[in-house]
Amino acid sequence: QVQLVESGGGLMQAGGSLRLSCAASGRTFSSYTMGWFRQAPGKEREFVAAIRKSGGLTFHADSVKGRFTISRDNAKNTVYLQMNSLKPEDTGVYYCAAGSGTYKSPASYDYWGPGTQVTVSS
């Protein structure tokens, strides 16, 4: 069992930066692929970024490449999402998730945090 809690969301002007954190409980954090997803009002949840168990392999959605960076610290049971050059279209609830398999598919993730709101104003 893994419990996840996100933090770091908030209101930011376009062009600004935010760093999201996701703290995990449990001893098996390092055995999971960790992902970040987001959901805007009226839209489906979409993949943002993922990082494999050891942290050596990362994936980012085309819409955030070059602006967002996922990382993890297995000693601290924490995964991060550094978000730079924020745009209004980045607005949404951001969720972290733990799982295995296909990193882009929400169905591959077994555990989810409650989410943190990110709002980017123009």
Side-chain angles (χ1 to χ4, degrees), residues 2-14:
V2 177
Q3 291 185 323
L4 305 171
V5 179
E6 303 94 340
S7 61
L11 175 64
M12 179 59 63
Q13 286 190 329

Side-chain angles (χ1 to χ4, degrees), residues 31-35 51-53 97-111:
S31 67
Y32 290 100
T33 290
M34 298 300 297
I51 186 167
R52 291 298 193 195
K53 294 181 285 188
S100 59
T102 306
Y103 63 88
K104 279 189 175 181
S105 171
S108 295
Y109 293 83
D110 302 308
Y111 303 101

Side-chain angles (χ1 to χ4, degrees), residues 5-9 19-23 36 78-81 96 116:
V5 179
E6 303 94 340
S7 61
R19 188 195 197 202
L20 304 184
S21 299
C22 174
W36 285 99
T78 302
V79 61
Y80 305 97
L81 186 68
C96 73
T116 185

Side-chain angles (χ1 to χ4, degrees), residues 12-75:
M12 179 59 63
Q13 286 190 329
S17 297
L18 283 173
R19 188 195 197 202
L20 304 184
S21 299
C22 174
S25 65
R27 301 178 183 176
T28 58
F29 173 79
S30 60
S31 67
Y32 290 100
T33 290
M34 298 300 297
W36 285 99
F37 290 78
R38 66 187 181 190
Q39 188 166 18
K43 294 188 176 181
E44 292 187 355
R45 192 168 296 190
E46 66 171 351
F47 168 75
V48 175
I51 186 167
R52 291 298 193 195
K53 294 181 285 188
S54 66
L57 203 56
T58 61
F59 310 91
H60 297 81
D62 288 344
S63 58
V64 306
K65 272 181 186 174
R67 300 189 299 121
F68 292 11
T69 303
I70 190 171
S71 61
R72 68 189 296 164
D73 186 337
N74 285 342

